[in-house]
Amino acid sequence: MAAAKALALCVGILLTWPAMSEQAQLGPLKGQASAIAGAREQLNIVSTTQDADVADLLADFRASHPDIEIVHTKINSNDIYNQVVDPSTSSAAPGDIVWSSAMDLQIKLVNDGYAQPYVSKEIAHIPDWAIWKDEAYAITAEPIVIVYNKNLVAESDVPRTRTDLKSLLSRKPDIYRGKIATYDPEQSGTGFLFITRDAGITRTTWDLVRAFGSAGIKLYSTTGTVLDRISSGEHLLAYNMIGSYAIERAKEDASIGIVFPADYITLMSRIAFIPATAPHPESAKLFLDYLLSERGQKFLLARSVGPVRLGLGAESVIPADRSGAVKPIHIGAELLTYLDQSKRASFLKEWRRALQDR
């Protein structure tokens, strides 16, 4: 019952997201002062989110808190994990707030004691499934999609399900060999999360991975690089891409096509927490509240990053006929399953074997 309730909440959120045009109606924050004493120095944000996707949001927060110097550093999810565990592994400044799409790595950091608790003042507006231990907060609700080049992939070839994709690679090996891309689960924490999620939903995932191997799939650690190569025609199809980035690219690039799979749509969240060693925790608390506020969530939606906040009211980025296919990844200890070193090694061994099993 709890899982069903969580899914219903999530789908409800998706179907009630605010229209993007509402951002223009926000206006400036009038006379808002720092609500927490001591937040007067700096805010170091370490995240997997591209600079362009948070530029407007950070500018708005900066306008309301001009006394806080903001530094945003975009790095790989595995590097974020390593930096929190051992700051000497990174040249980036220690994070005051850590924000990543690798949900499992974020939860492991929280579980291992690397986060400090903070009860956000926005907590009443956030669904229960999006908060863990008053330390980890889901900030977004984003679909994972298939991306393709609309100019080079025939409409009859566009896969609507994972079975379609496997069949396409089998039927037309000469056309798609070396033209398929996805995240490298050994280099990308986000990629590892998505493929283990797939394997947990259906064992036929391994049939798809074998088809990827036969097709000479190319592996990447960043979404931007994949989208660039889909746009250029170097690749024709990309699997398990973060939807918000693809939707934004499609606004500017008519060659980018997006499929919301009909069999199921994984819904991921970017998770934020304040590290136990944050140099400026009070600034981080202000920013976390802002991320979860109605205002902050609308700035995210304006970049096609689905918000998690309840009751914003408007349309979803997911087509209505796909809303029933949504499978959200819930925050909690279950995300730690494949982060056990032996289980991770075993999974990656099976991944490599499947890619080579042609």
Side-chain angles (χ1 to χ4, degrees), residues 22-33 43 45 51 53-68 70 286-287 289-300 302:
E22 288 182 7
Q23 179 184 341
Q25 301 171 13
L26 287 171
L29 289 173
K30 297 180 180 179
Q32 179 176 336
L43 176 64
I45 305 165
D51 291 339
D53 291 315
V54 290
D56 291 343
L57 179 141
L58 294 182
D60 186 65
F61 181 78
R62 186 180 290 111
S64 61
H65 300 286
D67 47 354
I68 300 177
I70 302 173
L286 285 172
F287 187 66
D289 285 344
Y290 174 77
L291 284 176
L292 295 170
S293 72
E294 181 175 358
R295 186 183 184 89
Q297 293 275 291
K298 287 181 177 179
F299 271 97
L300 290 172

Side-chain angles (χ1 to χ4, degrees), residues 62-97:
R62 186 180 290 111
S64 61
H65 300 286
D67 47 354
I68 300 177
E69 179 185 354
I70 302 173
V71 177
H72 176 257
T73 304
K74 192 271 185 191
I75 60 177
N76 178 279
S77 54
N78 283 347
D79 292 336
I80 286 180
Y81 178 85
N82 292 332
Q83 186 208 48
V84 173
V85 172
D86 181 3
S88 68
T89 62
S90 175
S91 59
D96 294 307
I97 193 161

Side-chain angles (χ1 to χ4, degrees), residues 67 120 135 169 187 237 353:
D67 47 354
S120 172
E135 295 177 343
L169 300 183
Q187 299 298 321
L237 288 160
R353 184 170 57 241

Side-chain angles (χ1 to χ4, degrees), residues 82-130:
N82 292 332
Q83 186 208 48
V84 173
V85 172
D86 181 3
S88 68
T89 62
S90 175
S91 59
D96 294 307
I97 193 161
V98 176
W99 187 18
S100 173
S101 53
M103 299 175 68
D104 48 357
L105 292 180
Q106 293 289 86
I107 291 301
K108 178 168 174 54
L109 288 170
V110 172
N111 190 66
D112 291 350
Y114 289 100
Q116 59 179 276
Y118 174 59
V119 179
S120 172
K121 69 179 185 180
E122 302 293 338
I123 198 168
H125 306 287
I126 308 303
D128 290 343
W129 63 262

Side-chain angles (χ1 to χ4, degrees), residues 310-322:
L310 295 166
L312 288 179
E315 36 188 79
S316 163
V317 297
I318 294 180
D321 64 349
R322 293 288 191 269

Side-chain angles (χ1 to χ4, degrees), residues 4 27 36 52 93 175 214 257 291-292 310 357:
I36 302 174
I175 293 176
S214 297
L291 284 176
L292 295 170
L310 295 166
D357 186 10

Side-chain angles (χ1 to χ4, degrees), residues 101-333:
S101 53
M103 299 175 68
D104 48 357
L105 292 180
Q106 293 289 86
I107 291 301
K108 178 168 174 54
L109 288 170
V110 172
N111 190 66
D112 291 350
Y114 289 100
Q116 59 179 276
Y118 174 59
V119 179
S120 172
K121 69 179 185 180
E122 302 293 338
I123 198 168
H125 306 287
I126 308 303
D128 290 343
W129 63 262
I131 307 167
W132 196 51
K133 294 185 173 183
D134 290 332
E135 295 177 343
Y137 288 85
I139 305 299
T140 66
E142 303 173 61
I144 306 308
V145 301
I146 297 171
V147 179
Y148 65 99
N149 186 303
K150 292 168 68 175
N151 298 330
L152 300 176
V153 176
E155 181 62 26
S156 58
D157 281 0
V158 176
R160 304 302 173 186
T161 66
R162 291 160 180 81
T163 299
D164 290 347
L165 178 56
K166 176 181 173 293
S167 175
L168 176 66
L169 300 183
S170 300
R171 289 186 293 106
K172 299 186 175 182
D174 294 338
I175 293 176
Y176 291 98
R177 184 171 290 112
K179 298 290 187 179
I180 310 299
T182 193
Y183 297 114
D184 183 347
E186 298 193 62
Q187 299 298 321
S188 166
T190 301
F192 182 77
L193 171 65
F194 295 164
I195 195 65
T196 54
R197 176 70 171 175
D198 285 339
I201 291 173
T202 172
R203 286 294 299 179
T204 61
T205 294
W206 296 111
D207 296 330
L208 180 59
V209 174
R210 281 186 278 274
F212 286 159
S214 297
I217 196 167
K218 305 300 180 183
L219 305 176
Y220 297 90
S221 60
T222 62
T223 313
T225 300
V226 176
L227 293 178
D228 288 343
R229 295 183 182 181
I230 291 289
S231 180
S232 71
E234 180 176 345
H235 297 323
L236 299 178
L237 288 160
Y239 178 70
N240 265 2
M241 295 290 103
I242 297 176
S244 54
Y245 292 142
I247 294 167
E248 280 300 293
R249 181 66 69 93
K251 292 178 183 178
E252 308 292 334
D253 186 344
S255 72
I256 298 293
I258 300 170
V259 174
F260 297 88
D263 45 354
Y264 67 87
I265 301 169
T266 296
L267 193 74
M268 60 144 275
S269 298
R270 302 180 203 219
I271 296 179
F273 68 83
I274 303 171
T277 57
H280 312 98
E282 303 307 323
S283 295
K285 292 171 185 176
L286 285 172
F287 187 66
L288 182 57
D289 285 344
Y290 174 77
L291 284 176
L292 295 170
S293 72
E294 181 175 358
R295 186 183 184 89
Q297 293 275 291
K298 287 181 177 179
F299 271 97
L300 290 172
L301 182 56
R303 296 293 300 182
S304 303
V305 178
V308 74
R309 187 181 174 95
L310 295 166
L312 288 179
E315 36 188 79
S316 163
V317 297
I318 294 180
D321 64 349
R322 293 288 191 269
S323 62
V326 171
K327 290 185 178 293
I329 304 174
H330 299 276
I331 295 181

